[in-house]
Amino acid sequence: DGFFTLLAPLQYSVRWASSRAAAVVEAVRQFRTLQARVEELQATVDRLMIENVQLREAEIERAELREQLQFKLANPTYDLMAAEVIGHDPSNLLHYIVIDRGSEEGLAVGMPVVTARGLVGRIAAVYPQASQVMLLTDPSSSVNAQIQRTRATGIVQGQPPRDLIMRFVEQSEEVESGDIVLTSGLGGNFPKRLVIGQVTSVQRDDVEMFQEIRVQSAVQFDRIETVLVVKGFSPIDYLP
């Protein structure tokens, strides 16, 4: 009996050590199982995030295509070609963009460029597979325009850094903030009735002959991704 009494603590210690070792082994196994599950869940989250981004991009693309289709249906006489923006003016001025269509697709200098929202500008240079588009905000840009509500005419010009100014509107003409500005078609350089933008302010001075009208473009130039080129229009000042 004394021998077993002396051996009992040793047996207890062995059992305790064995149970502790088994517990550690089980804890390691559970940790690895949990780690694998976490990695699996993370992979699922990553996949779902990618799918969500792809679905969002597809929805944006469908919305752009719907807008383009609506514009084409509203302007059935235009020969329109869709193009993607592949480059921007690297300066902060943003006076031109580059599109992925060129002379190989029949594009030519002077052709108007639009989005479903309004006028973007016109092609200033053409290469075989790309074209440079001068935006309305370029200081050398000039578009014959009219106020939709009153039919008052003038010229919309680009003004640094990214503003539009409508000039040569007589003081006697009624123009108000909120008026819509369209292309007038005068001069033959742009089709008629393309949306340019909206009047934001009007400056009148009795000693001046003309009003100075600030216009907010209908297009967000720094967010353009796709455009439509009006191929079936030949500007007068670019005719060969």
Side-chain angles (χ1 to χ4, degrees):
D1 291 342
F3 174 77
F4 289 110
T5 301
L6 292 173
L7 188 61
L10 179 59
Q11 291 176 328
Y12 174 79
S13 298
V14 171
R15 287 198 301 272
W16 181 84
S18 298
S19 63
R20 290 290 296 173
V24 169
V25 170
E26 178 63 18
V28 170
R29 188 189 67 78
Q30 291 182 358
F31 173 77
R32 289 176 177 173
T33 301
L34 180 60
Q35 186 178 39
R37 180 58 176 161
V38 169
E39 291 175 355
E40 180 183 343
L41 291 173
Q42 184 61 53
T44 301
V45 169
D46 293 342
R47 178 177 57 79
L48 291 175
M49 183 178 69
I50 292 172
E51 291 178 356
N52 186 57
V53 170
Q54 291 173 338
L55 288 172
R56 178 59 180 157
E57 285 297 305
E59 178 57 33
I60 292 172
E61 184 176 357
R62 284 195 294 270
E64 290 178 347
L65 291 174
R66 283 195 297 268
E67 288 184 344
Q68 290 181 1
L69 178 60
Q70 290 171 358
F71 184 85
K72 289 180 179 180
L73 292 175
N75 300 275
T77 60
Y78 293 164
D79 179 11
L80 299 169
M81 173 175 283
E84 290 191 7
V85 176
I86 58 174
H88 291 89
D89 182 350
S91 73
N92 293 327
L93 300 179
L94 193 64
H95 292 323
Y96 72 82
I97 57 175
V98 180
I99 59 176
D100 67 346
R101 304 282 187 172
S103 57
E104 291 184 355
E105 288 82 17
L107 270 57
V109 170
M111 287 182 175
V113 178
V114 302
T115 69
R117 298 179 182 275
L119 182 62
V120 172
R122 61 181 173 182
I123 295 178
V126 177
Y127 310 98
Q129 297 179 349
S131 298
Q132 182 174 309
V133 179
M134 181 175 67
L135 304 179
L136 295 181
T137 52
D138 192 295
S140 60
S141 172
S142 181
V143 182
N144 286 292
Q146 67 180 175
I147 303 298
Q148 183 183 46
R149 182 174 59 86
T150 63
R151 319 310 285 178
T153 60
I155 295 177
V156 171
Q157 298 175 325
Q159 177 171 298
R162 299 183 187 179
D163 294 331
L164 297 177
I165 300 292
M166 186 171 182
R167 295 191 169 96
F168 308 114
V169 179
E170 295 184 358
Q171 293 284 353
S172 59
E173 295 284 2
E174 181 185 351
V175 182
E176 297 178 354
S177 179
D179 280 341
I180 301 299
V181 182
L182 308 174
T183 55
S184 67
L186 297 176
N189 294 325
F190 286 92
K192 295 179 65 174
R193 301 185 185 89
L194 294 176
V195 177
I196 295 175
Q198 190 172 32
V199 174
T200 57
S201 67
V202 181
Q203 182 177 336
R204 296 183 177 88
D205 192 335
D206 292 339
V207 300
E208 298 291 339
M209 184 179 299
F210 303 110
Q211 306 176 47
E212 184 172 276
I213 302 165
R214 291 192 174 273
V215 179
Q216 174 66 51
S217 173
V219 177
Q220 289 183 286
F221 295 108
D222 58 347
R223 296 188 179 182
I224 301 175
E225 296 184 13
T226 60
V227 297
L228 295 169
V229 181
V230 186
K231 290 182 61 180
F233 180 82
S234 299
I236 290 177
D237 60 355
Y238 283 96
L239 288 175

PDB file of all heavy atoms in Angstrom, residues 184-206:
ATOM      1  N   SER A 184     -26.136  77.589 -81.870  1.00  0.00           N
ATOM      2  CA  SER A 184     -27.087  78.262 -82.764  1.00  0.00           C
ATOM      3  C   SER A 184     -27.002  77.763 -84.198  1.00  0.00           C
ATOM      4  O   SER A 184     -27.931  77.945 -84.987  1.00  0.00           O
ATOM      5  CB  SER A 184     -26.822  79.771 -82.755  1.00  0.00           C
ATOM      6  OG  SER A 184     -25.559  80.060 -83.344  1.00  0.00           O
ATOM      7  N   GLY A 185     -25.878  77.146 -84.543  1.00  0.00           N
ATOM      8  CA  GLY A 185     -25.691  76.698 -85.922  1.00  0.00           C
ATOM      9  C   GLY A 185     -25.176  77.784 -86.837  1.00  0.00           C
ATOM     10  O   GLY A 185     -24.814  77.508 -87.989  1.00  0.00           O
ATOM     11  N   LEU A 186     -25.119  79.021 -86.364  1.00  0.00           N
ATOM     12  CA  LEU A 186     -24.599  80.117 -87.176  1.00  0.00           C
ATOM     13  C   LEU A 186     -23.115  79.892 -87.459  1.00  0.00           C
ATOM     14  O   LEU A 186     -22.376  79.418 -86.597  1.00  0.00           O
ATOM     15  CB  LEU A 186     -24.802  81.455 -86.458  1.00  0.00           C
ATOM     16  CG  LEU A 186     -26.248  81.882 -86.184  1.00  0.00           C
ATOM     17  CD1 LEU A 186     -26.279  83.171 -85.372  1.00  0.00           C
ATOM     18  CD2 LEU A 186     -27.017  82.047 -87.492  1.00  0.00           C
ATOM     19  N   GLY A 187     -22.696  80.229 -88.641  1.00  0.00           N
ATOM     20  CA  GLY A 187     -21.297  80.037 -89.010  1.00  0.00           C
ATOM     21  C   GLY A 187     -21.009  78.657 -89.564  1.00  0.00           C
ATOM     22  O   GLY A 187     -19.976  78.431 -90.195  1.00  0.00           O
ATOM     23  N   GLY A 188     -21.902  77.711 -89.312  1.00  0.00           N
ATOM     24  CA  GLY A 188     -21.769  76.384 -89.891  1.00  0.00           C
ATOM     25  C   GLY A 188     -20.692  75.515 -89.289  1.00  0.00           C
ATOM     26  O   GLY A 188     -20.296  74.506 -89.892  1.00  0.00           O
ATOM     27  N   ASN A 189     -20.216  75.855 -88.082  1.00  0.00           N
ATOM     28  CA  ASN A 189     -19.129  75.067 -87.488  1.00  0.00           C
ATOM     29  C   ASN A 189     -19.623  73.982 -86.541  1.00  0.00           C
ATOM     30  O   ASN A 189     -18.871  73.062 -86.208  1.00  0.00           O
ATOM     31  CB  ASN A 189     -18.167  75.991 -86.745  1.00  0.00           C
ATOM     32  CG  ASN A 189     -17.448  76.934 -87.696  1.00  0.00           C
ATOM     33  OD1 ASN A 189     -17.146  76.562 -88.821  1.00  0.00           O
ATOM     34  ND2 ASN A 189     -17.192  78.151 -87.250  1.00  0.00           N
ATOM     35  N   PHE A 190     -20.873  74.123 -86.064  1.00  0.00           N
ATOM     36  CA  PHE A 190     -21.477  73.111 -85.198  1.00  0.00           C
ATOM     37  C   PHE A 190     -22.935  72.930 -85.609  1.00  0.00           C
ATOM     38  O   PHE A 190     -23.583  73.876 -86.078  1.00  0.00           O
ATOM     39  CB  PHE A 190     -21.417  73.535 -83.728  1.00  0.00           C
ATOM     40  CG  PHE A 190     -20.057  73.438 -83.105  1.00  0.00           C
ATOM     41  CD1 PHE A 190     -19.202  74.524 -83.109  1.00  0.00           C
ATOM     42  CD2 PHE A 190     -19.622  72.254 -82.522  1.00  0.00           C
ATOM     43  CE1 PHE A 190     -17.946  74.440 -82.534  1.00  0.00           C
ATOM     44  CE2 PHE A 190     -18.364  72.156 -81.950  1.00  0.00           C
ATOM     45  CZ  PHE A 190     -17.524  73.249 -81.962  1.00  0.00           C
ATOM     46  N   PRO A 191     -23.500  71.735 -85.411  1.00  0.00           N
ATOM     47  CA  PRO A 191     -24.935  71.555 -85.640  1.00  0.00           C
ATOM     48  C   PRO A 191     -25.744  72.432 -84.685  1.00  0.00           C
ATOM     49  O   PRO A 191     -25.252  72.857 -83.642  1.00  0.00           O
ATOM     50  CB  PRO A 191     -25.154  70.064 -85.320  1.00  0.00           C
ATOM     51  CG  PRO A 191     -23.802  69.440 -85.386  1.00  0.00           C
ATOM     52  CD  PRO A 191     -22.836  70.509 -84.963  1.00  0.00           C
ATOM     53  N   LYS A 192     -26.978  72.674 -85.043  1.00  0.00           N
ATOM     54  CA  LYS A 192     -27.864  73.475 -84.196  1.00  0.00           C
ATOM     55  C   LYS A 192     -28.393  72.654 -83.023  1.00  0.00           C
ATOM     56  O   LYS A 192     -28.485  71.433 -83.082  1.00  0.00           O
ATOM     57  CB  LYS A 192     -29.058  73.993 -85.007  1.00  0.00           C
ATOM     58  CG  LYS A 192     -28.710  74.965 -86.103  1.00  0.00           C
ATOM     59  CD  LYS A 192     -29.945  75.399 -86.872  1.00  0.00           C
ATOM     60  CE  LYS A 192     -30.898  76.196 -85.989  1.00  0.00           C
ATOM     61  NZ  LYS A 192     -32.046  76.759 -86.764  1.00  0.00           N
ATOM     62  N   ARG A 193     -28.713  73.380 -81.963  1.00  0.00           N
ATOM     63  CA  ARG A 193     -29.467  72.869 -80.817  1.00  0.00           C
ATOM     64  C   ARG A 193     -28.734  71.820 -79.982  1.00  0.00           C
ATOM     65  O   ARG A 193     -29.363  71.050 -79.257  1.00  0.00           O
ATOM     66  CB  ARG A 193     -30.830  72.322 -81.265  1.00  0.00           C
ATOM     67  CG  ARG A 193     -31.702  73.357 -81.948  1.00  0.00           C
ATOM     68  CD  ARG A 193     -33.100  72.820 -82.273  1.00  0.00           C
ATOM     69  NE  ARG A 193     -33.872  73.784 -83.014  1.00  0.00           N
ATOM     70  CZ  ARG A 193     -33.880  73.870 -84.358  1.00  0.00           C
ATOM     71  NH1 ARG A 193     -33.164  73.000 -85.070  1.00  0.00           N
ATOM     72  NH2 ARG A 193     -34.598  74.790 -84.962  1.00  0.00           N
ATOM     73  N   LEU A 194     -27.424  71.800 -80.029  1.00  0.00           N
ATOM     74  CA  LEU A 194     -26.682  70.972 -79.069  1.00  0.00           C
ATOM     75  C   LEU A 194     -26.590  71.744 -77.759  1.00  0.00           C
ATOM     76  O   LEU A 194     -26.355  72.955 -77.749  1.00  0.00           O
ATOM     77  CB  LEU A 194     -25.274  70.670 -79.584  1.00  0.00           C
ATOM     78  CG  LEU A 194     -25.165  69.802 -80.835  1.00  0.00           C
ATOM     79  CD1 LEU A 194     -23.713  69.692 -81.269  1.00  0.00           C
ATOM     80  CD2 LEU A 194     -25.757  68.420 -80.597  1.00  0.00           C
ATOM     81  N   VAL A 195     -26.767  71.052 -76.647  1.00  0.00           N
ATOM     82  CA  VAL A 195     -26.718  71.710 -75.342  1.00  0.00           C
ATOM     83  C   VAL A 195     -25.273  72.072 -75.009  1.00  0.00           C
ATOM     84  O   VAL A 195     -24.387  71.224 -75.051  1.00  0.00           O
ATOM     85  CB  VAL A 195     -27.303  70.805 -74.241  1.00  0.00           C
ATOM     86  CG1 VAL A 195     -27.165  71.474 -72.877  1.00  0.00           C
ATOM     87  CG2 VAL A 195     -28.768  70.497 -74.532  1.00  0.00           C
ATOM     88  N   ILE A 196     -25.053  73.331 -74.663  1.00  0.00           N
ATOM     89  CA  ILE A 196     -23.741  73.784 -74.203  1.00  0.00           C
ATOM     90  C   ILE A 196     -23.703  73.820 -72.680  1.00  0.00           C
ATOM     91  O   ILE A 196     -22.756  73.354 -72.051  1.00  0.00           O
ATOM     92  CB  ILE A 196     -23.400  75.177 -74.775  1.00  0.00           C
ATOM     93  CG1 ILE A 196     -23.255  75.097 -76.300  1.00  0.00           C
ATOM     94  CG2 ILE A 196     -22.130  75.726 -74.136  1.00  0.00           C
ATOM     95  CD1 ILE A 196     -23.037  76.425 -76.973  1.00  0.00           C
ATOM     96  N   GLY A 197     -24.736  74.413 -72.085  1.00  0.00           N
ATOM     97  CA  GLY A 197     -24.750  74.491 -70.629  1.00  0.00           C
ATOM     98  C   GLY A 197     -25.847  75.409 -70.127  1.00  0.00           C
ATOM     99  O   GLY A 197     -26.856  75.630 -70.802  1.00  0.00           O
ATOM    100  N   GLN A 198     -25.616  75.973 -68.947  1.00  0.00           N
ATOM    101  CA  GLN A 198     -26.623  76.783 -68.272  1.00  0.00           C
ATOM    102  C   GLN A 198     -25.986  78.059 -67.745  1.00  0.00           C
ATOM    103  O   GLN A 198     -24.867  78.043 -67.226  1.00  0.00           O
ATOM    104  CB  GLN A 198     -27.229  75.989 -67.122  1.00  0.00           C
ATOM    105  CG  GLN A 198     -28.447  76.618 -66.480  1.00  0.00           C
ATOM    106  CD  GLN A 198     -29.100  75.656 -65.486  1.00  0.00           C
ATOM    107  OE1 GLN A 198     -28.430  74.853 -64.855  1.00  0.00           O
ATOM    108  NE2 GLN A 198     -30.413  75.747 -65.346  1.00  0.00           N
ATOM    109  N   VAL A 199     -26.712  79.160 -67.888  1.00  0.00           N
ATOM    110  CA  VAL A 199     -26.229  80.453 -67.406  1.00  0.00           C
ATOM    111  C   VAL A 199     -26.162  80.435 -65.883  1.00  0.00           C
ATOM    112  O   VAL A 199     -27.121  80.046 -65.205  1.00  0.00           O
ATOM    113  CB  VAL A 199     -27.158  81.597 -67.881  1.00  0.00           C
ATOM    114  CG1 VAL A 199     -26.740  82.931 -67.241  1.00  0.00           C
ATOM    115  CG2 VAL A 199     -27.140  81.703 -69.401  1.00  0.00           C
ATOM    116  N   THR A 200     -25.021  80.863 -65.355  1.00  0.00           N
ATOM    117  CA  THR A 200     -24.858  80.929 -63.899  1.00  0.00           C
ATOM    118  C   THR A 200     -24.851  82.361 -63.383  1.00  0.00           C
ATOM    119  O   THR A 200     -25.203  82.608 -62.230  1.00  0.00           O
ATOM    120  CB  THR A 200     -23.561  80.232 -63.457  1.00  0.00           C
ATOM    121  OG1 THR A 200     -22.445  80.834 -64.122  1.00  0.00           O
ATOM    122  CG2 THR A 200     -23.611  78.752 -63.794  1.00  0.00           C
ATOM    123  N   SER A 201     -24.435  83.311 -64.225  1.00  0.00           N
ATOM    124  CA  SER A 201     -24.445  84.714 -63.809  1.00  0.00           C
ATOM    125  C   SER A 201     -24.426  85.613 -65.034  1.00  0.00           C
ATOM    126  O   SER A 201     -23.932  85.213 -66.099  1.00  0.00           O
ATOM    127  CB  SER A 201     -23.249  85.037 -62.894  1.00  0.00           C
ATOM    128  OG  SER A 201     -22.035  84.949 -63.611  1.00  0.00           O
ATOM    129  N   VAL A 202     -24.964  86.805 -64.865  1.00  0.00           N
ATOM    130  CA  VAL A 202     -25.027  87.783 -65.953  1.00  0.00           C
ATOM    131  C   VAL A 202     -24.481  89.113 -65.446  1.00  0.00           C
ATOM    132  O   VAL A 202     -24.928  89.621 -64.418  1.00  0.00           O
ATOM    133  CB  VAL A 202     -26.477  87.975 -66.464  1.00  0.00           C
ATOM    134  CG1 VAL A 202     -26.503  88.989 -67.613  1.00  0.00           C
ATOM    135  CG2 VAL A 202     -27.076  86.650 -66.895  1.00  0.00           C
ATOM    136  N   GLN A 203     -23.509  89.669 -66.164  1.00  0.00           N
ATOM    137  CA  GLN A 203     -22.927  90.954 -65.784  1.00  0.00           C
ATOM    138  C   GLN A 203     -23.303  91.996 -66.834  1.00  0.00           C
ATOM    139  O   GLN A 203     -22.952  91.869 -68.009  1.00  0.00           O
ATOM    140  CB  GLN A 203     -21.408  90.846 -65.668  1.00  0.00           C
ATOM    141  CG  GLN A 203     -20.743  92.146 -65.235  1.00  0.00           C
ATOM    142  CD  GLN A 203     -19.245  91.990 -65.054  1.00  0.00           C
ATOM    143  OE1 GLN A 203     -18.758  90.875 -64.807  1.00  0.00           O
ATOM    144  NE2 GLN A 203     -18.519  93.080 -65.178  1.00  0.00           N
ATOM    145  N   ARG A 204     -24.016  93.014 -66.379  1.00  0.00           N
ATOM    146  CA  ARG A 204     -24.421  94.105 -67.271  1.00  0.00           C
ATOM    147  C   ARG A 204     -23.752  95.404 -66.842  1.00  0.00           C
ATOM    148  O   ARG A 204     -23.593  95.657 -65.656  1.00  0.00           O
ATOM    149  CB  ARG A 204     -25.944  94.279 -67.259  1.00  0.00           C
ATOM    150  CG  ARG A 204     -26.717  93.095 -67.804  1.00  0.00           C
ATOM    151  CD  ARG A 204     -28.211  93.383 -67.814  1.00  0.00           C
ATOM    152  NE  ARG A 204     -28.982  92.291 -68.401  1.00  0.00           N
ATOM    153  CZ  ARG A 204     -29.441  91.251 -67.732  1.00  0.00           C
ATOM    154  NH1 ARG A 204     -29.197  91.159 -66.426  1.00  0.00           N
ATOM    155  NH2 ARG A 204     -30.136  90.303 -68.339  1.00  0.00           N
ATOM    156  N   ASP A 205     -23.385  96.196 -67.826  1.00  0.00           N
ATOM    157  CA  ASP A 205     -22.748  97.484 -67.569  1.00  0.00           C
ATOM    158  C   ASP A 205     -23.249  98.461 -68.619  1.00  0.00           C
ATOM    159  O   ASP A 205     -23.076  98.229 -69.825  1.00  0.00           O
ATOM    160  CB  ASP A 205     -21.219  97.348 -67.636  1.00  0.00           C
ATOM    161  CG  ASP A 205     -20.514  98.577 -67.096  1.00  0.00           C
ATOM    162  OD1 ASP A 205     -21.121  99.679 -67.120  1.00  0.00           O
ATOM    163  OD2 ASP A 205     -19.360  98.445 -66.658  1.00  0.00           O
ATOM    164  N   ASP A 206     -23.883  99.535 -68.169  1.00  0.00           N
ATOM    165  CA  ASP A 206     -24.496 100.492 -69.096  1.00  0.00           C
ATOM    166  C   ASP A 206     -23.499 101.106 -70.054  1.00  0.00           C
ATOM    167  O   ASP A 206     -23.872 101.567 -71.147  1.00  0.00           O
ATOM    168  CB  ASP A 206     -25.201 101.607 -68.307  1.00  0.00           C
ATOM    169  CG  ASP A 206     -26.421 101.092 -67.555  1.00  0.00           C
ATOM    170  OD1 ASP A 206     -26.932 100.015 -67.948  1.00  0.00           O
ATOM    171  OD2 ASP A 206     -26.845 101.745 -66.572  1.00  0.00           O
TER     172      ASP A 206
END
